[in-house]
Amino acid sequence: MNAPGPAPRHDVVAGALVRDGAVLLAHRSPARRWYPDVWDLPGGHREPGETPRQALVRELAEELGVTAVRCAVVGLVEGPGLRLTVLRVDRWDGEPADTAPEEHDELRWCTAADLPGLRLAHAAYPALLAGLLRP
């Protein structure tokens, strides 16, 4: 009998859209297989050959109907089977809307004061988001 191989690596990107001292969070549907019923940054898996920026532009177009114009990597979270690249998005074209209702059931602009009351998708998010929202 062969030993199981390493867990599949999930290489994902997430976008922190920041506007007027708030970050846009998406509530993951309770029916989602991974990380159900939590608040998360919009994003998703990188396709083969995509840079984090290319993946984020694609994901934000699919999930929010916006085009990221100015973004930069602000964090990297790694763990067993996970590599999460977080990009701050300071400029985008379009107004964010939930164009992927099968993934999210609510979008919300949140300030640093809102974060402690939310169940966030990853333990690294509170410090990361608080840093992004510092004046």
Side-chain angles (χ1 to χ4, degrees), residues 23-121:
V23 64
L24 184 68
L25 295 179
H27 186 262
R28 291 177 63 86
S29 170
R32 298 289 297 166
R33 179 177 177 189
W34 301 103
Y35 301 99
D37 201 24
V38 294
W39 290 93
D40 200 359
L41 294 168
H45 285 84
R46 284 175 57 185
E47 299 292 334
E50 281 184 322
T51 66
R53 186 185 190 294
Q54 289 168 333
L56 185 66
V57 168
R58 178 182 50 77
E59 287 288 345
L60 293 181
E62 292 172 3
E63 294 183 16
L64 302 178
V66 300
T67 301
V69 175
R70 188 172 65 206
C71 56
V73 173
V74 293
L76 181 63
V77 178
E78 292 189 282
L82 173 69
R83 178 184 175 95
L84 170 63
T85 305
V86 179
L87 294 93
R88 177 185 176 123
V89 183
D90 290 316
R91 202 168 120 226
W92 59 88
D93 288 334
E95 186 58 31
D98 188 1
T99 55
E102 67 284 356
E103 293 189 28
H104 310 111
D105 55 15
E106 184 181 349
L107 299 177
R108 183 185 301 174
W109 289 99
C110 299
T111 66
D114 298 323
L115 298 177
L118 299 176
R119 188 167 162 238
L120 298 172

Side-chain angles (χ1 to χ4, degrees), residues 1-5:
M1 186 164 168
N2 292 343

